[in-house]
Short mmCIF file of all heavy atoms in Angstrom, two decimals:
data_model
loop_
_atom_site.label_atom_id
_atom_site.label_comp_id
_atom_site.label_asym_id
_atom_site.label_seq_id
_atom_site.Cartn_x
_atom_site.Cartn_y
_atom_site.Cartn_z
N ILE A 70 -3.30 13.70 -9.68
CA ILE A 70 -4.36 12.63 -9.75
C ILE A 70 -4.89 12.20 -8.38
O ILE A 70 -6.05 12.14 -8.12
CB ILE A 70 -3.77 11.36 -10.51
CG1 ILE A 70 -3.61 11.92 -11.97
CG2 ILE A 70 -4.92 10.26 -10.40
CD1 ILE A 70 -2.99 10.81 -12.85
N LEU A 71 -3.91 12.05 -7.43
CA LEU A 71 -4.32 11.56 -6.07
C LEU A 71 -4.63 12.60 -5.20
O LEU A 71 -4.92 12.22 -3.87
CB LEU A 71 -3.27 10.55 -5.51
CG LEU A 71 -3.02 9.32 -6.43
CD1 LEU A 71 -1.86 8.48 -5.84
CD2 LEU A 71 -4.28 8.47 -6.34
N LEU A 72 -4.45 13.85 -5.48
CA LEU A 72 -4.88 14.97 -4.63
C LEU A 72 -4.02 15.17 -3.34
O LEU A 72 -4.41 15.73 -2.40
CB LEU A 72 -6.36 14.82 -4.27
CG LEU A 72 -7.32 14.53 -5.32
CD1 LEU A 72 -8.75 14.25 -4.83
CD2 LEU A 72 -7.33 15.56 -6.50
N VAL A 73 -2.87 14.66 -3.55
CA VAL A 73 -1.80 14.93 -2.46
C VAL A 73 -1.38 16.45 -2.61
O VAL A 73 -1.16 16.85 -3.61
CB VAL A 73 -0.54 14.11 -2.48
CG1 VAL A 73 0.48 14.34 -1.47
CG2 VAL A 73 -1.01 12.62 -2.40
N SER A 74 -1.47 17.17 -1.41
CA SER A 74 -1.03 18.68 -1.61
C SER A 74 0.34 18.84 -1.79
O SER A 74 1.24 18.08 -1.28
CB SER A 74 -1.53 19.19 -0.33
OG SER A 74 -0.67 19.15 0.78
N LYS A 75 0.65 19.85 -2.59
CA LYS A 75 1.99 20.24 -2.79
C LYS A 75 2.75 20.63 -1.57
O LYS A 75 3.93 20.16 -1.45
CB LYS A 75 2.00 21.56 -3.76
CG LYS A 75 3.22 21.92 -4.33
CD LYS A 75 3.16 23.14 -5.22
CE LYS A 75 2.76 22.63 -6.65
NZ LYS A 75 3.00 23.62 -7.64
N LYS A 76 2.04 21.18 -0.55
CA LYS A 76 2.68 21.49 0.60
C LYS A 76 3.12 20.11 1.42
O LYS A 76 4.16 20.03 1.89
CB LYS A 76 1.67 22.36 1.58
CG LYS A 76 2.25 22.63 2.99
CD LYS A 76 1.26 23.41 3.69
CE LYS A 76 1.90 23.80 5.06
NZ LYS A 76 0.90 24.46 5.98
N THR A 77 2.30 19.20 1.39
CA THR A 77 2.67 17.90 2.08
C THR A 77 3.88 17.35 1.42
O THR A 77 4.84 16.84 2.03
CB THR A 77 1.50 16.84 1.99
OG1 THR A 77 0.42 17.37 2.63
CG2 THR A 77 1.83 15.49 2.47
N LEU A 78 3.91 17.40 0.03
CA LEU A 78 5.12 16.81 -0.64
C LEU A 78 6.37 17.60 -0.40
O LEU A 78 7.42 17.00 -0.19
CB LEU A 78 4.80 16.67 -2.16
CG LEU A 78 3.82 15.71 -2.52
CD1 LEU A 78 3.28 15.92 -4.02
CD2 LEU A 78 4.26 14.30 -2.27
N LYS A 79 6.33 18.85 -0.31
CA LYS A 79 7.32 19.78 0.10
C LYS A 79 7.82 19.64 1.46
O LYS A 79 9.03 19.52 1.69
CB LYS A 79 7.10 21.15 -0.33
CG LYS A 79 8.22 22.25 -0.18
CD LYS A 79 7.89 23.49 -0.70
CE LYS A 79 9.12 24.33 -0.54
NZ LYS A 79 9.03 25.67 -1.07
N THR A 80 6.83 19.67 2.43
CA THR A 80 7.13 19.58 3.80
C THR A 80 7.68 18.24 4.32
O THR A 80 8.55 18.13 5.13
CB THR A 80 6.04 20.19 4.65
OG1 THR A 80 5.62 21.36 4.12
CG2 THR A 80 6.40 20.34 6.04
N HIS A 81 6.89 17.21 3.96
CA HIS A 81 7.02 15.99 4.39
C HIS A 81 7.72 15.01 3.55
O HIS A 81 8.11 13.80 4.02
CB HIS A 81 5.72 15.36 4.95
CG HIS A 81 5.04 16.14 5.98
ND1 HIS A 81 5.51 16.31 7.32
CD2 HIS A 81 4.05 17.04 5.80
CE1 HIS A 81 4.71 17.02 7.88
NE2 HIS A 81 3.83 17.65 7.18
N THR A 82 7.85 15.20 2.22
CA THR A 82 8.37 14.45 1.07
C THR A 82 7.33 13.37 0.62
O THR A 82 6.29 12.98 1.28
CB THR A 82 9.77 13.64 1.41
OG1 THR A 82 9.52 12.57 2.21
CG2 THR A 82 10.71 14.70 2.04
N ALA A 83 7.52 12.66 -0.45
CA ALA A 83 6.79 11.73 -0.90
C ALA A 83 6.68 10.50 -0.12
O ALA A 83 5.74 9.75 -0.12
CB ALA A 83 7.33 11.20 -2.25
N VAL A 84 7.78 10.07 0.65
CA VAL A 84 7.76 8.94 1.59
C VAL A 84 7.56 9.42 2.98
O VAL A 84 8.55 9.81 3.68
CB VAL A 84 9.14 8.19 1.43
CG1 VAL A 84 9.07 7.04 2.35
CG2 VAL A 84 9.29 7.74 0.01
N SER A 85 6.35 9.57 3.37
CA SER A 85 5.95 9.99 4.76
C SER A 85 4.52 9.51 5.00
O SER A 85 3.82 9.14 4.18
CB SER A 85 5.94 11.58 4.66
OG SER A 85 4.94 12.10 3.92
N LYS A 86 4.17 9.48 6.29
CA LYS A 86 2.82 9.17 6.71
C LYS A 86 1.88 10.06 6.15
O LYS A 86 0.73 9.61 5.72
CB LYS A 86 2.71 9.04 8.22
CG LYS A 86 2.90 10.32 8.93
CD LYS A 86 2.85 10.14 10.51
CE LYS A 86 2.91 11.57 11.10
NZ LYS A 86 2.96 11.41 12.54
N GLU A 87 2.11 11.25 6.10
CA GLU A 87 1.31 12.33 5.66
C GLU A 87 0.86 12.04 4.00
O GLU A 87 -0.27 12.15 3.65
CB GLU A 87 1.74 13.79 5.73
CG GLU A 87 1.93 14.23 7.05
CD GLU A 87 3.15 13.73 7.82
OE1 GLU A 87 4.06 13.07 7.26
OE2 GLU A 87 3.34 14.01 9.06
N THR A 88 1.90 11.80 3.30
CA THR A 88 1.59 11.44 1.94
C THR A 88 0.87 10.14 1.68
O THR A 88 -0.11 10.15 0.98
CB THR A 88 2.93 11.38 1.15
OG1 THR A 88 3.54 12.70 1.12
CG2 THR A 88 2.82 11.00 -0.35
N ALA A 89 1.27 9.26 2.56
CA ALA A 89 0.56 7.88 2.47
C ALA A 89 -0.98 8.02 2.72
O ALA A 89 -1.82 7.51 2.02
CB ALA A 89 1.17 6.81 3.35
N MET A 90 -1.23 8.85 3.73
CA MET A 90 -2.66 9.03 4.14
C MET A 90 -3.46 9.83 3.06
O MET A 90 -4.58 9.60 2.68
CB MET A 90 -2.84 9.70 5.51
CG MET A 90 -2.34 8.79 6.63
SD MET A 90 -2.71 9.38 8.30
CE MET A 90 -1.70 10.89 8.31
N GLU A 91 -2.78 10.90 2.45
CA GLU A 91 -3.48 11.66 1.46
C GLU A 91 -3.59 10.92 0.24
O GLU A 91 -4.64 11.18 -0.50
CB GLU A 91 -2.69 12.96 1.20
CG GLU A 91 -2.77 13.97 2.27
CD GLU A 91 -2.14 15.34 1.95
OE1 GLU A 91 -2.18 15.66 0.86
OE2 GLU A 91 -1.67 16.03 2.91
N MET A 92 -2.71 10.03 -0.07
CA MET A 92 -2.81 9.12 -1.30
C MET A 92 -4.05 8.17 -1.08
O MET A 92 -4.81 8.00 -1.98
CB MET A 92 -1.50 8.23 -1.53
CG MET A 92 -0.36 9.02 -1.98
SD MET A 92 1.18 8.04 -2.12
CE MET A 92 0.75 6.72 -3.20
#
Side-chain angles (χ1 to χ4, degrees):
I70 295 175
L71 296 174
L72 313 174
V73 176
S74 79
K75 189 178 280 197
K76 182 179 179 185
T77 295
L78 292 167
K79 185 175 181 177
T80 305
H81 301 286
T82 77
V84 179
S85 65
K86 66 182 182 183
E87 293 83 3
T88 297
M90 290 190 298
E91 287 186 32
M92 287 171 66

